[in-house]
Amino acid sequence: MKVSIITSCFNRAATIRGAIESVLAQDYNNIEFIVVDGASTDGSLEIIREYEDCISTIISEPDHGMYEAINKGIRVATGDVIGLLHSDDFFYNNGVISRIVEHMQTTRADFLYGDGLFVNPDNTDKVVRYWIGGDYRLWKVRHGWLPLHPTCYIRREVMMRLGLYNESYKIAADSELLVRYLMTGGLSVTYLKEYVVRMRMGGLSTDSAKRKKMWGEDIRVYSSHGLWPTLTKLEKMAWKVPQFVLALLKG
């Protein structure tokens, strides 16, 4: 099974090296690694080019945001399964992809998700949130629950059939795709009860300055899929409370 991993990057010179090395350190040997850079001006592309012999495809050109960049990567991907590793993030350990492949092959699932850690951007050993996905249930999706996006691995043929990220969303395109796939896709979904990724706090959806915009986009997502938008958004927020509590208890 070939796994395509897509990393989008724009002006992330401080973190892109860690993301790249995290992919290259994986012990699974059938990885197609695609890096899509949005014409960075801070030296990110120069760092990416240092690894060009180990990266399957490098795209560097202006874009209109992360989701356009990810879609570019998906369109050139040739793997059986597609996953993302954002430029601020890194894999939990070197065996993550091997275990994802093993679990997808055993279950024959179309869609896999796992657990993840939100970490302090300045001290990545300090966990701020423990995201424990839990077993998949459709009723949970209808009440605001979604798997953690960077832990999701989806068969390429599913993405080609159900469509890519809706670029009219600037923050919530990942939520829209997950709701669309899980509510209407008729997919076989499996949960890998392991940590997949460490994510630095402060991304598009975790930046407090972006939360107002995300509220509006989430409302639009839920409305477009026939859910009660405000109630579902509040339920989505409620699912996160135990994650912070767990981090406090473990901290």
Side-chain angles (χ1 to χ4, degrees):
M1 179 182 283
K2 182 194 286 188
V3 179
S4 296
I5 298 175
I6 298 166
T7 295
S8 64
C9 175
F10 180 66
N11 288 344
R12 286 293 185 268
T15 59
I16 185 62
R17 188 184 301 277
I20 291 171
E21 292 186 350
S22 177
V23 176
L24 300 183
Q26 290 298 301
D27 62 12
Y28 189 72
N29 62 10
N30 197 6
I31 292 175
E32 176 184 52
F33 187 22
I34 300 166
V35 180
V36 185
D37 175 68
S40 293
T41 58
D42 70 338
S44 295
L45 182 58
E46 288 74 13
I47 295 171
I48 294 165
R49 291 290 185 196
E50 291 179 29
Y51 298 89
E52 60 185 348
D53 290 344
C54 303
I55 297 174
S56 307
T57 302
I58 298 173
I59 300 170
S60 183
E61 60 190 22
D63 56 48
H64 295 94
M66 177 176 68
Y67 299 113
E68 181 184 348
I70 293 171
N71 281 344
K72 287 179 184 179
I74 294 171
R75 290 187 182 104
V76 302
T78 62
D80 302 294
V81 172
I82 293 175
L84 308 179
L85 184 73
H86 296 320
S87 54
D88 286 341
D89 305 340
F90 52 99
F91 286 121
Y92 183 72
N93 60 37
N94 297 345
V96 164
I97 300 302
S98 291
R99 288 192 293 279
I100 287 171
V101 169
E102 179 183 13
H103 198 67
M104 291 193 80
Q105 288 178 327
T106 300
T107 61
R108 299 184 179 180
D110 300 310
F111 184 117
L112 174 146
Y113 67 93
D115 300 331
L117 301 172
F118 284 87
V119 298
N120 184 297
D122 301 315
N123 177 10
T124 56
D125 291 326
K126 181 175 176 56
V127 178
V128 180
R129 281 170 64 185
Y130 288 85
W131 187 300
I132 307 300
D135 292 335
Y136 170 74
R137 298 289 185 273
L138 180 57
W139 69 262
K140 291 165 66 174
V141 179
R142 294 183 180 277
H143 288 278
W145 174 90
L146 288 173
L148 182 61
H149 181 226
T151 73
C152 297
Y153 284 73
I154 307 169
R155 292 190 184 270
R156 181 179 178 277
E157 63 88 11
V158 167
M159 302 197 79
M160 296 300 104
R161 174 166 52 88
L162 298 181
L164 307 187
Y165 292 88
N166 183 338
E167 294 171 24
S168 69
Y169 292 91
K170 301 307 176 187
I171 295 179
D174 50 348
S175 294
E176 192 282 327
L177 180 137
L178 294 176
V179 171
R180 174 164 35 102
Y181 280 24
L182 295 175
M183 285 189 59
T184 64
L187 305 180
S188 169
V189 181
T190 190
Y191 167 48
L192 178 65
K193 194 175 180 180
E194 294 185 30
Y195 291 119
V196 171
V197 66
R198 286 180 180 262
M199 305 174 60
R200 289 178 174 85
M201 291 289 285
L204 281 178
S205 61
T206 58
D207 185 338
S208 60
K210 304 291 194 305
R211 286 177 185 165
K212 183 177 180 180
K213 183 173 180 63
M214 185 159 191
W215 177 279
E217 290 200 358
D218 275 351
I219 293 296
R220 181 180 155 209
V221 168
Y222 295 131
S223 295
S224 70
H225 289 282
L227 300 171
W228 291 94
T230 302
L231 176 59
T232 310
K233 172 62 177 177
L234 292 172
E235 289 177 315
K236 179 183 180 182
M237 295 168 66
W239 284 104
K240 298 178 182 179
V241 173
Q243 302 166 7
F244 287 104
V245 172
L246 183 59
L248 289 172
L249 291 175
K250 289 192 174 186

